[in-house]
Amino acid sequence: MAETAAEATVERPSRTPVGTVHIVDPHPLNWLYITWNTMEEPVRTDAQGHLVGAAMEESRWIDDKTLEVRMRRGVRFQDGEECNANSFRRAFDEVQRWRVPHPPGTSLNFHPQTRLEVVDDHTLRMHFPEPDGLILGKFRGFHIPSTRFWDEHGFGYKKLGSGEGHW
C-alpha cells in the first residue's frame, strides 16, 4: 500500500536502540536465576535430582586426591567465547581468593590448598590436599562465566572491590 504525502512527512522514531534497560528483581534468590541463565556449570541436575555433565563431559579420579575433568567441546557462552579448561581455571582462580565464595555456605568451597592444572584446552586436573567426596556436588554451585564477565563485572569487583559479602 502506498503512503500518502501526509504520511510520508510524519517523523518516525529511530530504530537504533537508545539508553539502558534496568531490570530490578527484588527476589532474594535472583542471583541464582542470573547465574543459571548466563553462566556454565560443570554439572547440572536432571529431573530426578541426579548430577549430569553440563560443561563437563566427564570426570575420573586418578587417585583419592586428584580429579581429572574433561570439558565438553562446543560449549559457548552467550558472547560466543568458547567455554573450556581455561574458562574453568579463571573461575577457579577468581573464586578461590574469596574467603566465603558461596552465599549458601562454605560447604561449597574448594579447600584453599586445592591446585588446578590445565592439561590441554579441554582437560584439567584438580589436586586436593585431602580426599573430598563432595567435589561433584560442589561443582553444582561452581559457576563458569566468560572472560568478558570477569573483565567487566566480576560479581561486583569493579563497583565493590570484592565478589563476596554483598549477596
Side-chain angles (χ1 to χ4, degrees), residues 90-101 150 154 157 161-164:
R90 175 84 186 262
F92 175 83
D93 288 347
E94 294 284 354
V95 173
Q96 280 299 92
R97 64 188 181 144
W98 300 352
R99 290 181 55 182
V100 184
W150 291 118
Y157 297 151
S162 171
E164 63 184 322

Side-chain angles (χ1 to χ4, degrees), residues 7 16 27 38 46 58 66 81 90 98 101 120 136 145 147 156:
E7 290 172 331
T16 304
H27 194 282
T38 63
D46 65 15
E58 67 178 3
T66 308
E81 179 185 344
R90 175 84 186 262
W98 300 352
D120 61 40
L136 295 180
T147 301

